[in-house]
Amino acid sequence: AGTVSVEQLRHPIPAKAEAAILKLVDKLREGKLESAEVAAKKAFAQASVSGVAHAMLGTEYLRRGMAAEAVEQLAAATEERPNDMPTVSNYAYALYLAGDIASAERASRRALDLDGRNPRAHYVYALILDGLRGHRKEALEHLKIAAQSLRVVGTLYSWRAALRMTPRSNGFVR
């Protein structure tokens, strides 16, 4: 194991990397996707924030319904951040939207392994299970866990109604 200086502990992210990620955050908040993509490319070059940048851009693609682009970015993010449950769960959701149900199920199970109490992980898993034949009962069980855990259950009018919602209309991605 290497040693870490006190200065590195005080400032674990190099200034250049911090500037790159903050620029990406600003562009995403402004809703400027093309500018955000340019900022993301600069952040990808910074090893300390590359995974975060991939996750942020992938999540933005999810918000915009761009499943293929989201899968690409979130796959890169999960390679760099394999134990980050929100990233893995968003990756599972992107795979689901892209129609790769088998891979989505594996990724969703991984998200639940990382945090089995997370309501969003259960919700994504329920959507994926509902896409598999013969798994409706298990899907409802996971949706029930999600509904009991979420403080705001506005989109979950009922468990059955939630399973009938289209993926993009459910307000899941944040």
Short mmCIF file of all heavy atoms in Angstrom, two decimals, residues 16 40-41 69 82 111-112 128:
data_model
loop_
_atom_site.label_atom_id
_atom_site.label_comp_id
_atom_site.label_asym_id
_atom_site.label_seq_id
_atom_site.Cartn_x
_atom_site.Cartn_y
_atom_site.Cartn_z
N LYS A 16 -7.95 20.24 -11.00
CA LYS A 16 -8.34 20.13 -12.40
C LYS A 16 -9.55 19.20 -12.55
O LYS A 16 -10.47 19.48 -13.33
CB LYS A 16 -7.15 19.63 -13.23
CG LYS A 16 -7.36 19.70 -14.72
CD LYS A 16 -6.08 19.34 -15.45
CE LYS A 16 -6.26 19.44 -16.95
NZ LYS A 16 -5.04 19.10 -17.67
N ALA A 40 -18.18 16.60 -20.18
CA ALA A 40 -17.99 15.23 -19.71
C ALA A 40 -16.71 14.63 -20.29
O ALA A 40 -15.97 13.94 -19.58
CB ALA A 40 -19.19 14.37 -20.09
N LYS A 41 -16.45 14.91 -21.55
CA LYS A 41 -15.23 14.37 -22.17
C LYS A 41 -13.99 14.87 -21.44
O LYS A 41 -13.03 14.13 -21.27
CB LYS A 41 -15.18 14.74 -23.65
CG LYS A 41 -16.14 13.93 -24.48
CD LYS A 41 -16.11 14.31 -25.93
CE LYS A 41 -17.16 13.50 -26.68
NZ LYS A 41 -17.30 13.87 -28.07
N GLU A 69 -27.63 5.44 -25.36
CA GLU A 69 -26.56 6.31 -24.87
C GLU A 69 -26.37 6.14 -23.36
O GLU A 69 -25.25 6.13 -22.86
CB GLU A 69 -26.86 7.78 -25.19
CG GLU A 69 -26.84 8.10 -26.67
CD GLU A 69 -28.18 7.84 -27.37
OE1 GLU A 69 -29.08 7.19 -26.79
OE2 GLU A 69 -28.32 8.28 -28.54
N PRO A 82 -17.97 -0.12 -9.46
CA PRO A 82 -18.82 -1.31 -9.40
C PRO A 82 -19.65 -1.44 -8.12
O PRO A 82 -20.62 -2.19 -8.10
CB PRO A 82 -17.84 -2.47 -9.55
CG PRO A 82 -16.54 -1.93 -9.06
CD PRO A 82 -16.55 -0.46 -9.43
N ALA A 111 -27.45 -4.51 -7.87
CA ALA A 111 -27.83 -3.31 -7.10
C ALA A 111 -28.47 -3.72 -5.78
O ALA A 111 -28.16 -3.13 -4.74
CB ALA A 111 -28.78 -2.43 -7.92
N LEU A 112 -29.32 -4.74 -5.81
CA LEU A 112 -29.94 -5.21 -4.57
C LEU A 112 -28.92 -5.85 -3.64
O LEU A 112 -29.02 -5.73 -2.42
CB LEU A 112 -31.07 -6.18 -4.87
CG LEU A 112 -32.35 -5.54 -5.40
CD1 LEU A 112 -33.31 -6.60 -5.90
CD2 LEU A 112 -32.99 -4.66 -4.34
N ILE A 128 -38.32 -4.84 -14.01
CA ILE A 128 -37.62 -5.84 -14.81
C ILE A 128 -38.30 -7.21 -14.69
O ILE A 128 -38.55 -7.88 -15.69
CB ILE A 128 -36.14 -5.91 -14.41
CG1 ILE A 128 -35.45 -4.60 -14.83
CG2 ILE A 128 -35.45 -7.12 -15.03
CD1 ILE A 128 -34.11 -4.39 -14.18
#
